[in-house]
Amino acid sequence: NAGVTQTPKFQVLKTGQSMTLQCAQDMNHEYMSWYRQDPGMGLRLIHYSVGAGITDQGEVPNGYNVSRSTTEDFPLRLLSAAPSQTSVYFCASSSRFRPSYNEQFFGPGTRLTVL
Amino acid sequence: KNEVEQSPQNLTAQEGEFITINCSYSVGISALHWLQQHPGGGIVSLFMLSSGKKKHGRLIATINIQEKHSSLHITASHPRDSAVYICAVRPNFNKFYFGSGTKLNVKP
């Protein structure tokens, strides 16, 4: 049981490049989400999904796309990277069923630098 | 308007001191989640609690759902406890709210 996995762990991009951050979970969780974490800003929600085929925007969605074709995978796409997207990105998942309903399981994070 | 407020934002302690971190929230919830993040590290779960108190080693978490308040205590603090501590709540299926985090530095 790997939990939530993210790849890559580190990435450096040039302005204007695109890339996809991968996230997968093997807990059959319906809810998956992407956060970015910047110094002094806490965790901010980018996009989330409540099930396969269903996604919605969070607080800071601009410049990012997501899709959810399977329960397991929730990739985050940066369309045209900008220096303002330099951040640490966390993927997380959660069940809709108790007792785990209130708990989010986080991936190890991806540290992204945009030059 | 912040649905979850944590205090203090920063905390420096000497090794061995008793630490308290507070979390207040304004939304209706059934349980609260405490998380820990070491510098440069991932986010790990410490406690999930819906009532009363839970203890794990030197860490104790308490919650009063009616008063919308939770505390995280660390007894006999140690430098390895230096981390950011975050509380989180889930008022509905679509949304989690996080506190801004408490950065703890325990000096030897």
Side-chain angles (χ1 to χ4, degrees), chain B residues 76-87:
Chain B
S77 58
H78 189 276
R80 65 175 173 265
D81 298 325
S82 297
V84 175
Y85 293 85
I86 304 166
C87 60

Side-chain angles (χ1 to χ4, degrees), chain A residues 37 94-95 101-104, chain B residues 30 37 45 48 90 93 96:
Chain A
Q37 187 181 45
S94 177
S95 174
Y101 175 82
N102 290 291
E103 187 172 8
Q104 279 199 107
Chain B
S30 58
Q37 185 179 25
S45 176
M48 177 69 61
R90 189 180 197 180
F93 182 61
F96 285 84

